[in-house]
Amino acid sequence: MDFSTKSLDAKNAVTAVKTGALVVGIHENRKLTKAAAALDKLGAISAALKSGDISGKPGSTLLLRGVTGIAAERIVLLGLGAEDDISDKNFAAAAQALVRALATLGCDDAALALPFSGIKGRDLAWAIRNVVLAGRDFTYRSDALKSKKDPAPTGVKKVTFLTSADNAAAAKTALAEAVALANGMALTKELGNLPGNVCTPTYLANTAKKLAKDYKLGVEVLDRKQLEALKMGSFLSVTNGSEQPPKFIVLKHMGGKAKDAPIVLVGKGITFDTGGISLKPGLNMDEMKYDMCGAASVLGTFRAIAELGLKLNVIGVIPTCENMPSGRATKPGDIVTSMSGQTIEVLNTDAEGRLILCDALTYVERFKPAAVIDIATLTGACIVALGHHNSGLFTREDEAHDRLADELLAAGRATGDTAWRMPVQDVYQEQLKSNFADIANIGGQPAGSVTAACFLERFTRKYTWAHLDIAGTAWKSGAAKGASGRPVPLLTTYLLNQARAAKPARA
């Protein structure tokens, strides 16, 4: 679906909008929105309401054709729920129903005359983003490698948001941000859904290079010899068993002032995770192609902010490789030396994400970052703790880290891409003690997601840092199997908020 905005004034009434389908909202108990009331002055809706053909409950729809005195060919009535309480849940349900209804129509275009500013606790931008993401999600197809493609989306292809003249500028900005976000999520989904024999570390590196070319970003890809020169022994220990060469990707979007410290996003890029010598059970192992969703979310976020030309300095760092068993693979009990100089006893080769991330987190010190956020499908323990609704958010407990956590949590709430804060405390470090090295790479079953974060924390003490464990939110299993595109909404919104905060106020 393509989207645009159009403002309405007294001379451009909703009744005069020429479109294949005009969508207006109604409430429960037969109460009309402003746009619906304007149409009903001509008697277009009363009969449908009296007949009980539509209830006004969230997501209910009714199609009216050939309404006299109205320029639109069709009127779609959309239930929004109670008039005085259009909750975000109800509006989201209505948006989902809306895109399904538009897909059944025999016209190419539609205009939406809905109360975008009337959702409880939400703003115009939230409502527009909700509709755009619902539309793009509905039309998304994961058939890139099928010899016979899935049926193409039918129905409406162009959607226009009708807003008041006062909201015209805000609506245009909101739509641009929503479309960029949708494009970023689409890239993240596409990368996540590709199989491991296609989406290799080299494939991710080439994707980063294409992004850089398309949007004039800075890019650097380090290979094995350069990683060896940097003494990234922890990262390289994970790739020992694979035939695929490791890559270390650095993307730079320098949209802010030259002197401004960058925000750094670090994405885990294990393009397939067998567990290595600590081999995973075979059941559902195919889903370990999603172990690079942290990397995919960094690339998707860069796609979004680059499209928007965000006035902020952002650097993306992606360590990427496979974790495979072979005669060269790292063994349980092996000790490796990280870039930081700390030695690590590898008690379990399936706890490999933290081994590649720790060297990346040391590498980013050179950027003197304002903040660093790593994103990783790191632990099954996070799914045990939080299920598939919230990503796990881990930071230290002090003023700077509390502020970073609050900003990330707020961005998640604003987009529905929510996270929940978990502890990072020294008491958990006891579980990572080793008799033979500075640190062990696992701390046992208790608080597994916390000890994983505490492992990473040891490599981040020179800057403000947060860790997002997206093991439960990056993809869906079962009949709806596929990458979710999360946490691109959270990350993009956080960066947008940082750019707005950095923009000087007008005199």
Side-chain angles (χ1 to χ4, degrees):
M1 287 183 180
D2 294 327
F3 299 90
S4 63
T5 63
K6 181 179 181 180
S7 61
L8 292 176
D9 53 29
K11 296 180 180 179
N12 187 18
V14 67
T15 54
V17 175
K18 293 182 179 181
T19 183
L22 178 63
V23 181
V24 296
I26 63 169
H27 299 292
E28 292 177 292
N29 302 320
R30 301 179 181 178
K31 293 185 178 181
L32 308 181
T33 60
K34 184 177 179 180
L39 298 179
D40 201 42
K41 290 178 181 179
L42 302 174
I45 299 175
S46 298
L49 290 173
K50 290 178 181 178
S51 69
D53 288 341
I54 185 168
S55 64
K57 291 183 179 180
S60 57
T61 59
L62 180 66
L63 175 65
L64 305 176
R65 295 178 181 274
V67 179
T68 303
I70 295 172
E73 298 172 8
R74 304 164 181 79
I75 304 297
V76 177
L77 305 182
L78 178 67
L80 299 173
E83 179 182 21
D84 57 351
D85 185 22
I86 308 178
S87 66
D88 54 3
K89 181 180 179 181
N90 287 349
F91 190 86
Q96 296 288 339
L98 168 64
V99 297
R100 290 194 299 269
L102 295 181
T104 67
L105 301 182
C107 56
D108 289 333
D109 67 305
L112 312 183
L114 298 171
F116 297 115
S117 300
I119 299 94
K120 188 176 181 180
R122 301 295 189 177
D123 59 11
L124 172 72
W126 180 90
I128 288 177
R129 180 173 62 236
N130 208 280
V131 173
V132 170
L133 293 185
R136 290 289 296 275
D137 187 61
F138 185 82
T139 57
Y140 175 78
R141 296 293 184 271
S142 56
D143 59 358
L145 299 181
K146 291 184 178 181
S147 60
K148 185 177 181 181
K149 303 301 181 185
D150 296 335
T154 58
V156 171
K157 297 177 177 60
K158 299 179 181 178
V159 175
T160 301
F161 293 89
L162 303 177
T163 65
S164 67
D166 291 341
N167 286 332
K172 186 176 181 180
T173 298
L175 180 58
E177 292 177 355
V179 170
L181 175 56
N183 290 338
M185 291 181 71
L187 175 59
T188 297
K189 290 179 183 180
E190 288 164 9
L191 291 171
N193 289 333
L194 287 173
N197 64 320
V198 173
C199 188
T200 62
T202 300
Y203 188 97
L204 286 181
N206 289 338
T207 301
K209 290 177 181 177
K210 186 177 187 306
L211 271 179
K213 181 179 179 181
D214 291 346
Y215 293 99
K216 295 180 173 58
L217 306 175
V219 65
E220 185 179 11
V221 178
L222 307 183
D223 294 312
R224 179 182 292 276
K225 287 186 177 180
Q226 293 161 294
L227 302 178
E228 290 172 347
L230 287 167
K231 299 182 179 179
M232 289 192 180
S234 184
F235 174 25
L236 290 171
S237 73
V238 177
T239 192
N240 282 345
S242 175
E243 296 296 326
Q244 291 290 336
K247 302 292 180 181
F248 192 90
I249 303 163
V250 181
L251 266 177
K252 294 183 179 181
H253 171 92
M254 307 306 282
K257 297 177 182 177
K259 64 180 180 60
D260 291 345
I263 294 171
V264 180
L265 306 180
V266 180
K268 173 186 171 184
I270 299 291
T271 56
F272 197 83
D273 179 23
T274 67
I277 298 301
S278 305
L279 193 67
K280 291 178 179 290
L283 183 65
N284 298 327
M285 196 197 285
D286 66 288
E287 294 188 3
M288 286 303 95
K289 69 179 184 177
Y290 295 116
D291 212 18
M292 41 62 69
C293 281
S297 69
V298 171
L299 293 170
T301 299
F302 267 74
R303 169 71 170 80
I305 65 172
E307 181 177 325
L308 292 170
L310 193 67
K311 302 299 183 183
L312 195 69
N313 294 335
V314 187
I315 296 175
V317 173
I318 297 171
T320 176
C321 65
E322 290 182 333
N323 185 22
M324 301 288 286
S326 79
R328 299 189 309 273
T330 297
K331 305 173 294 297
D334 286 358
I335 294 177
V336 300
T337 303
S338 67
M339 184 182 179
S340 71
Q342 297 179 75
T343 57
I344 303 164
E345 184 180 13
V346 182
L347 295 179
N348 189 315
T349 64
D350 194 25
E352 84 299 329
R354 65 202 73 182
L355 295 176
I356 72 170
L357 287 172
C358 71
D359 279 348
L361 291 170
T362 299
Y363 181 88
V364 303
E365 291 175 5
R366 66 190 57 205
F367 301 125
K368 296 180 171 53
V372 176
I373 304 158
D374 77 71
I375 309 99
T377 50
L378 203 65
T379 66
C382 196
I383 303 175
V384 174
L386 298 175
H388 299 281
H389 304 290
N390 289 294
S391 298
L393 170 63
F394 300 80
T395 61
R396 289 186 282 271
E397 297 176 1
D398 58 43
E399 184 177 353
H401 287 85
D402 290 345
R403 182 167 58 251
L404 175 59
D406 289 343
E407 290 167 346
L408 290 168
L409 291 170
R413 288 192 296 270
T415 57
D417 184 9
T418 55
W420 192 266
R421 189 172 182 181
M422 303 283 279
V424 174
Q425 299 170 339
D426 287 343
V427 66
Y428 292 100
Q429 296 283 3
E430 293 295 313
Q431 294 175 231
L432 295 170
K433 283 187 173 180
S434 165
N435 288 347
F436 310 108
D438 296 326
I439 186 174
N441 78 322
I442 58 170
Q445 189 176 40
S449 63
V450 177
T451 55
C454 287
F455 178 96
L456 296 177
E457 187 271 341
R458 292 194 179 211
F459 301 86
T460 66
R461 293 175 181 173
K462 294 184 179 180
Y463 48 74
T464 303
W465 156 84
H467 160 60
L468 284 171
D469 192 330
I470 59 170
T473 56
W475 79 91
K476 299 176 182 179
S477 300
K481 181 185 288 189
S484 67
R486 296 177 65 181
V488 174
L490 183 158
L491 294 171
T492 302
T493 301
Y494 164 75
L495 294 172
L496 283 167
N497 291 342
Q498 295 302 302
R500 292 188 182 107
K503 187 177 181 180
R506 292 183 180 179

